């Protein structure tokens, strides 16, 4: 089982303003942008060391830190391990535009998103 922290997800009030801050002030580069059917907008901002900040503007979320995003090599194996150690998912496994994901919580209630990226995504972005 392999889990790597890749990004933090931030819910923002103004995506354009936040992109400018992370790009112009902190020196991040824009990775890619996604407009979701529910009206939410996502932009991935990449740091030089490979870690990212996922910025989401969407009225259905409360502004602030939403979750810690991780990359897992095998989601099913990871879930088996977590369940065997008393950690139950707080959401179903769902398909995404980049693969599939599920959320768990740490003992403090912090959401952790476990993402298994699709082969196509890995070839294009990783």
């Amino acid at each position: 089982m392999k889990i790597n922290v890749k990004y933090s997800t931030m819910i923002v009030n103004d995506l354009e303003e936040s992109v400018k801050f992370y790009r112009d002030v902190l020196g991040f580069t824009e990775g890619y942008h996604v407009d979701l059917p529910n009206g939410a907008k996502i932009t991935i901002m990449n740091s030089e060391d490979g870690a990212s900040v996922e910025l989401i503007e969407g009225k259905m979320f409360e502004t602030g830190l939403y979750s810690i995003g991780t990359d897992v090599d095998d989601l099913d194996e990871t879930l088996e391990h977590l369940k065997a150690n008393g950690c139950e998912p707080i959401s179903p496994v769902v398909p995404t535009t980049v693969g599939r994901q599920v959320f768990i919580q740490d003992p403090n209630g912090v959401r952790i998103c476990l993402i298994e990226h699709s082969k196509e995504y890995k070839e294009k972005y990783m």
Side-chain angles (χ1 to χ4, degrees):
M1 177 183 76
K2 182 178 169 186
I3 300 176
N4 292 312
V5 173
K6 291 293 187 177
Y7 62 89
S8 297
T9 298
M10 304 290 295
I11 307 302
V12 301
N13 294 320
D14 183 323
L15 185 61
E16 186 177 323
E17 175 183 58
S18 295
V19 167
K20 285 180 183 177
F21 175 81
Y22 281 90
R23 182 187 61 222
D24 301 343
V25 177
L26 298 182
F28 285 54
T29 58
E30 291 181 53
Y32 63 92
H33 180 82
V34 178
D35 291 314
L36 299 177
N38 64 5
K41 298 182 274 184
I42 301 172
T43 298
I44 303 296
M45 302 299 295
N46 298 315
S47 68
E48 285 187 24
D49 71 353
S52 301
V53 174
E54 179 182 36
L55 303 172
I56 300 177
E57 180 185 322
K59 304 228 182 288
M60 67 286 297
F61 302 112
E62 190 174 318
T63 302
L65 178 65
Y66 184 76
S67 67
I68 303 299
T70 66
D71 184 27
V72 301
D73 54 346
D74 185 324
L75 188 57
D76 296 323
E77 177 187 322
T78 301
L79 283 173
E80 278 183 39
H81 171 80
L82 294 170
K83 288 177 181 179
N85 286 280
C87 180
E88 291 294 325
I90 60 169
S91 73
V93 174
V94 295
T96 70
T97 58
V98 299
R100 59 192 190 121
Q101 71 181 33
V102 66
F103 284 92
I104 62 171
Q105 281 184 327
D106 80 357
N108 301 294
V110 175
R111 282 183 296 265
I112 300 169
C113 184
L114 305 171
I115 302 173
E116 178 186 85
H117 289 95
S118 67
K119 179 182 175 185
E120 296 78 21
Y121 175 85
K122 288 178 183 178
E123 288 171 356
K124 188 171 183 178
Y125 295 107
M126 298 177 111

